[in-house]
Amino acid sequence: MLVLAIDTSTPAVTAGLVALDGDALESRGDRVTVDPRAHGELITPHALEAVKAAGATLRDLDAIVCGVGPGPFTGLRAGMATAASLAHALGIPAHPVCSLDAIAADVAPGEAPFLVLTDARRREVYWAAYAADGSRADGPHVQRPADLETTIKVAAGDGALLYADALGVQPIEPRFPSPLGLVKAAREDFQSEPAPLTPLYLRRPDAVEPAARKKVTTP
């Protein structure tokens, strides 16, 4: 099956086509731009270019996988809206996946547990803890690095690079979710009905409803 993978939960605008044959995964084409201000502008062109680079068309797709965060509000919505629109138009399922799980799926196999941390802005990180086999053991959470108490010494994700000293961890690859990682994290769900595309925001938005305008009266 051919799966289009999309993620806009981090500064990376990510789209790629992955071929799935049993347990074998093959990347057929991807487009990634690291620009935290370009999610809405680039995600659809990236998706179309990735499909074209693979020598396929949208009609060839069997499913879509979309990272649902945790991530910032505006960026996350861009990717999820694109995934939902394409899935609806093509009549194919769109499977949600925790973006931290997608990063964890690309961590090289080892014998020790690890963290995945991404930048949550406001001097905070989104994070989750994983066992050595890559299964999630805790999280996802949003927290200040100084308040994160852990004995784990290695961490993937761009948040690990930003706050390595504060956390006392050794950063490891990858920094961002990849199309292959997204599909790896979601493939066990391909045989069942997809869950709703529900964003993992983890905290309230910065924007607030404007206060009621003061009434202007004439004497």
Side-chain angles (χ1 to χ4, degrees), residues 6-14 39 43 67 71-72 74-80:
I6 287 174
D7 189 273
T8 54
S9 67
T10 71
V13 186
T14 299
H39 296 102
I43 189 57
T74 303
L76 201 53
R77 283 199 299 268
M80 294 180 64

Side-chain angles (χ1 to χ4, degrees), residues 144-148 150 159-169:
R144 293 195 311 164
D147 296 334
L148 200 167
T150 180
L161 285 172
L162 287 171
Y163 297 106
D165 292 339
L167 292 165
V169 297

